[in-house]
Amino acid sequence: MLVQIAWRNIWRNKIRSLVIIIAVILGLWGGIFSDAFMQGMAEQQVYSSIHTETGHLQLNAPGFLLNHDMQLRIGDADSVVEQINRLPETEAAAATIQITAMASTASSSTGIIVNGIAPDTYAKVSDISKLMVNGDYFKNDRKNMVVVGQQLADKLRVKLHSRIVLTLQTVTGDIIYGAFKIEGIYRTHNSEFDKQMIYVQKDDLQSLVGFPSGAASLVRVLLQKDDDTKEVAEKLRSQFPAEQVQTWIELSPMQQVLSGTMTQMTIIFVGIILIALAFGIVNTMLMAVMDRTREIGMLLSIGMRPSKVFGMIVLETVFLSLTGAVVGILISIGTIYWFGKSGINLSMIAQGANAMGYNSVVYPTLGAGFYFQLAIMVVVVAIIAGLIPARRAIRLKPAEAVRGD
Amino acid sequence: MPVIEVKQLKKTYNETMVPVHALNGVDLTFEKGEFTAIVGPSGCGKTTLLNMMGGLDRPTSGIVTIENDDITNMKAGELVDFRLNNIGFIFQSYNLIPVLTVKENIEFIMELQHRNRKEMEDRVRYLLEVMGLSDKINVRPRYLSGGQQQRVAVARALASKPKFILADEPTANLDSKSTDILLDLMAELNQKENVTFVFSTHDQRVMDKARRIITLEDGKVISDIKQVKSNEARHS
Ligand SMILES: Nc1ncnc2c1ncn2[C@@H]1O[C@H](COP(=O)(O)OP(=O)(O)OP(=O)(O)O)[C@@H](O)[C@H]1O
Ligand SMILES: [Mg+2]
């Protein structure tokens, strides 16, 4: 019956209860939705990072990443790719030659990294092909074509179809020059990446520097599911003990930090909102206890134990809070689901966001774990908020309270 | 053995600037089946005395014994349970739980006693029949008149099967017709079921229905009269 009394008591002063319930609904909705928005941004960041910069996994000779030493290579890269493709978790794998070089025009020059790729295969592990802002991604089979980032093109002050000269070292240590024509210009969300990474046909690069055929600097792997990353990494490590196998998390630790702290930040963020709401809840319940002084005095008089009265007030506080929280969370889930599908287009205000490395359409999202943690937090905060009015209630002296006026 | 024994009861309120001696050594005994009114001018200590007898407040000195249990020296926790199982309370302002129906209000106290469902339902039905409120069983208090609410309060007080019932000015908020109905019901319960009532009042007509009248003045008993009354007299 305590449950019934506590529940019905909420609706005794409808306006007062509704005010705090609506505050809880709006507070949580705002907090949860902002969290989902931030989480959506972070996940998008991770997604683009995987799909343009790193893949899920990368194999290379140990030490290669330190200074892109051309001697450190995967000798039988083609067979490695073939074996990886046979794994059920694999979406695609591609062998790439990666060499540091100098890109120059008549007016300026800059250090870059040349990626020698097989365009069709590479398009399966990287979204670069879809991020062309100008020109094409290796549409025709002409020799010595190059795809560069927008940032680099700007820096070198070159346009589509301009020529750039690459200065590289050959396998034997000689310096060699190659003239390449810009066939396409891409743009990712990461301007540092765009300044550095240029793409040429693997065959062109191979013959230019004398790279052995069938070999590669690295093999990039895209998986069907993000969650398989660790497991497949382990598999590959035992399958190719001679190579270094790294996950996207190891390749760009910032992403991990970002998405990892984001989950904690979201919880802290709604936590702060909840604490603010708790003050309102305490106030509402204190008023409720004052209004019911005489009734509580009666309960204590006729022999209801103070511990039960205490529990009843805490229960009522929890019900009051949960009513708002459940509605707020449901509305949040609904709106997050809706915008998670349609996306929120930030292009109006996106100039800034893009420079920060974010895409202009954000798909808000939150994991089930967040809601679980949030539900526990709501209950804990409600119980704590209930302690103060409950203590006030049981401190009433029955004889005086029952007289009540 | 008396139900209630009050010995040398004194109560001084010290919270005020000048200490108030609300009770100045009261000695009283109440036997099973009594129907007693406590009367006296305002401020004479009626409420204070009833609070001490009901274990709602502690005396400054003196002892209240209820069938061998000294309630003045009971621990707070024990006292709560003692009140629940031994004393029925009726208040001037009814004090029903507004969010519960009549039935639930009466069941509530039995639930605190952990009675079983069947027993509770039977008792509710019986008590409401006695109180003439069977048709109001599922109604909430605010839809009842003051007199009806106070009758529910009597039913609630009886529901826990207490040793006696204390009522501080139970009719003060009622009109004379409701007062008569309530008092007649209480008298009937007293006669037929030997329920012990101790109530305070200002109302001459209520006093007339009592079989014992204790008069207080300045925290002292100044008269204690047992009046023998016939049924006819009570109904006139
Ligand atoms: N909590 C309290 N603190 C201080 N003084 C009190 C308190 N309760 C009662 N008194 C004083 O004790 C005296 C007796 O009060 P009590 O309420 O027992 O009188 P009463 O006979 O019930 O009066 P009434 O007929 O007006 O209800 C009064 O002088 C009153 O002012
Ligand atoms: Mg009084």
Side-chain angles (χ1 to χ4, degrees):
Chain A
M1 199 174 275
L2 280 191
V3 173
Q4 279 170 42
I5 294 177
W7 176 251
R8 290 182 198 169
N9 270 332
I10 295 175
W11 306 108
R12 221 157 127 179
N13 190 328
K14 285 206 182 65
I15 302 218
R16 185 168 67 200
S17 294
L18 277 178
V19 165
I20 191 71
I21 286 170
I22 288 169
V24 172
I25 291 172
L26 293 180
L28 280 185
W29 185 20
I32 296 171
F33 193 80
S34 319
D35 277 350
F37 185 82
M38 291 191 285
Q39 188 77 38
M41 274 174 136
E43 279 189 17
Q44 195 154 30
Q45 177 94 343
V46 167
Y47 178 92
S48 356
S49 170
I50 290 172
H51 286 260
T52 57
E53 293 167 31
T54 60
H56 284 108
L57 293 163
Q58 183 175 306
L59 281 79
N60 49 255
F64 170 75
L65 291 176
L66 289 179
N67 50 10
H68 288 69
D69 185 342
M70 225 188 300
Q71 308 308 329
L72 300 172
R73 53 192 176 231
I74 303 172
D76 50 352
D78 289 349
S79 106
V80 169
V81 167
E82 201 177 300
Q83 289 178 61
I84 291 173
N85 273 329
R86 262 185 245 135
L87 294 176
E89 296 92 343
T90 305
E91 172 74 32
T96 305
I97 301 171
Q98 215 173 55
I99 300 173
T100 53
M102 190 71 103
S104 339
T105 61
S107 57
S108 64
S109 67
T110 182
I112 45 97
I113 294 172
V114 191
N115 290 269
I117 57 170
D120 294 342
T121 318
Y122 197 73
K124 289 182 194 149
V125 299
S126 160
D127 280 350
I128 289 294
S129 60
K130 296 175 199 154
L131 295 170
M132 306 307 292
V133 289
N134 215 339
D136 301 308
Y137 171 83
F138 303 107
K139 199 168 172 191
N140 50 51
D141 237 6
R142 264 179 285 160
K143 283 185 78 68
N144 284 8
M145 302 301 257
V146 63
V147 166
V148 304
Q150 177 82 60
Q151 296 278 340
L152 182 66
D154 291 348
K155 192 173 176 190
L156 294 175
R157 282 186 236 112
V158 289
K159 290 203 283 276
L160 198 62
H161 307 313
S162 302
R163 251 168 224 291
I164 58 171
V165 174
L166 301 183
T167 312
L168 317 95
Q169 251 187 341
T170 66
V171 177
T172 52
D174 301 323
I175 300 292
I176 197 167
Y177 304 95
F180 286 78
K181 190 174 169 190
I182 296 174
E183 195 203 5
I185 298 174
Y186 70 85
R187 192 162 98 182
T188 70
H189 63 276
N190 181 344
S191 51
E192 282 309 309
F193 181 88
D194 294 5
K195 246 181 243 174
Q196 254 196 343
M197 291 293 176
I198 74 167
Y199 297 88
V200 301
Q201 297 244 25
K202 199 175 176 183
D203 297 343
D204 295 345
L205 192 60
Q206 220 162 27
S207 53
L208 191 64
V209 301
F211 212 83
S213 81
S217 314
L218 53 93
V219 171
R220 176 185 282 200
V221 185
L222 195 68
L223 301 177
Q224 287 163 16
K225 283 183 288 176
D226 293 355
D227 294 344
D228 289 337
T229 306
K230 276 218 174 85
E231 200 181 313
V232 177
E234 284 313 314
K235 251 194 237 180
L236 295 183
R237 271 174 199 137
S238 59
Q239 201 171 345
F240 306 105
E243 315 301 342
Q244 181 182 26
V245 179
Q246 285 183 291
T247 64
W248 62 271
I249 294 166
E250 291 154 346
L251 290 165
S252 62
M254 264 316 283
Q255 299 303 333
Q256 164 73 353
V257 171
L258 189 70
S259 55
T261 48
M262 194 59 84
T263 322
Q264 287 160 18
M265 295 236 315
T266 53
I267 280 291
I268 291 169
F269 186 58
V270 286
I272 290 169
I273 290 177
L274 267 181
I275 289 166
L277 290 170
F279 282 94
I281 294 167
V282 168
N283 185 50
T284 300
M285 285 305 298
L286 276 177
M287 285 199 281
V289 167
M290 309 270 244
D291 282 1
R292 297 214 294 269
T293 298
R294 190 186 293 185
E295 184 180 327
I296 291 164
M298 177 276 289
L299 293 172
L300 294 166
S301 297
I302 66 169
M304 187 169 177
R305 288 186 189 169
S307 57
K308 265 197 174 159
V309 174
F310 192 93
M312 184 180 79
I313 301 294
V314 171
L315 197 63
E316 192 174 325
T317 315
V318 170
F319 283 163
L320 182 70
S321 317
L322 276 186
T323 305
V326 166
V327 175
I329 289 173
L330 286 180
I331 293 178
S332 303
I333 291 175
T335 45
I336 289 167
Y337 180 79
W338 171 266
F339 283 108
K341 288 208 145 170
S342 67
I344 298 173
N345 196 332
L346 294 182
S347 50
M348 314 276 190
I349 50 162
Q351 286 98 331
N354 207 325
M356 275 158 48
Y358 290 108
N359 284 4
S360 57
V361 179
V362 172
Y363 299 90
T365 177
L366 276 178
F370 171 87
Y371 293 109
F372 183 70
Q373 285 186 53
L374 177 64
I376 291 174
M377 266 169 53
V378 169
V379 174
V380 169
V381 167
I383 289 173
I384 293 171
L387 298 182
I388 297 163
R391 207 175 73 126
R392 173 73 60 90
I394 61 167
R395 286 195 154 191
L396 292 172
K397 297 219 171 72
E400 285 168 33
V402 91
R403 233 184 292 194
D405 28 36
Chain B
M1 180 182 57
V3 194
I4 314 167
E5 230 182 318
V6 175
K7 275 190 212 145
Q8 273 306 301
L9 203 63
K10 292 189 181 166
K11 176 69 179 178
T12 307
Y13 290 108
N14 286 312
E15 298 96 79
T16 39
M17 296 260 271
V18 186
V20 180
H21 302 286
L23 294 177
N24 293 312
V26 173
D27 289 290
L28 287 168
T29 51
F30 298 85
E31 299 296 333
K32 180 95 195 123
E34 279 191 16
F35 198 66
T36 305
I38 296 176
V39 303
S42 187
C44 68
K46 303 183 290 293
T47 299
T48 306
L49 176 60
L50 288 175
N51 284 345
M52 302 298 143
M53 284 163 54
L56 295 177
D57 205 352
R58 305 248 183 216
T60 310
S61 67
I63 286 174
V64 176
T65 315
I66 291 167
E67 285 188 358
N68 286 337
D69 290 305
D70 173 6
I71 64 165
T72 39
N73 291 311
M74 258 182 203
K75 282 195 227 114
E78 260 177 276
L79 193 54
V80 176
D81 288 349
F82 188 88
R83 288 202 298 267
L84 174 66
N85 294 312
N86 298 282
I87 309 172
F89 291 92
I90 301 170
F91 308 95
Q92 179 178 330
S93 44
Y94 331 131
N95 281 342
L96 300 175
I97 301 172
V99 295
L100 297 184
T101 63
V102 166
K103 174 176 189 263
E104 290 164 339
N105 262 285
I106 300 168
E107 278 178 355
F108 179 77
I109 195 163
M110 292 189 276
E111 233 182 68
L112 292 180
Q113 292 179 307
H114 306 292
R115 298 279 173 86
N116 69 49
R117 258 286 100 227
K118 174 88 174 63
E119 190 187 350
M120 294 197 307
E121 297 204 339
D122 290 350
R123 191 137 179 86
V124 168
R125 210 165 303 121
Y126 165 74
L127 289 170
L128 287 180
E129 202 172 300
V130 173
M131 292 292 144
L133 289 168
S134 296
D135 56 330
K136 304 290 185 196
I137 185 161
N138 289 318
V139 172
R140 293 218 188 161
R142 85 180 114 120
Y143 300 110
L144 299 178
S145 71
Q148 289 170 328
Q149 288 189 50
Q150 197 62 306
R151 279 186 272 154
V152 177
V154 174
R156 176 179 65 190
L158 282 167
S160 62
K161 300 193 172 161
K163 297 202 168 85
F164 59 94
I165 291 179
L166 296 177
D168 192 9
E169 312 212 23
T171 60
N173 288 6
L174 301 181
D175 58 37
S176 59
K177 184 156 173 272
S178 302
T179 299
D180 285 344
I181 295 172
L182 190 80
L183 254 291
D184 288 344
L185 279 167
M186 283 164 59
E188 195 179 316
L189 282 161
N190 172 254
Q191 295 239 302
K192 289 196 180 148
E193 309 205 5
N194 209 27
V195 180
T196 312
F197 282 96
V198 180
F199 50 89
S200 70
T201 187
H202 276 120
D203 188 338
Q204 187 59 49
R205 285 151 44 101
V206 175
M207 286 177 222
D208 289 345
K209 306 217 174 186
R211 287 197 286 160
R212 177 182 174 192
I213 299 177
I214 296 166
T215 310
L216 293 184
E217 214 175 278
D218 292 332
K220 282 201 153 142
V221 177
I222 56 161
S223 85
D224 186 347
I225 304 163
K226 292 203 169 84
Q227 36 185 7
V228 187
K229 309 206 92 193
S230 69
N231 273 341
E232 296 88 64
R234 212 179 302 132
H235 283 285
S236 62

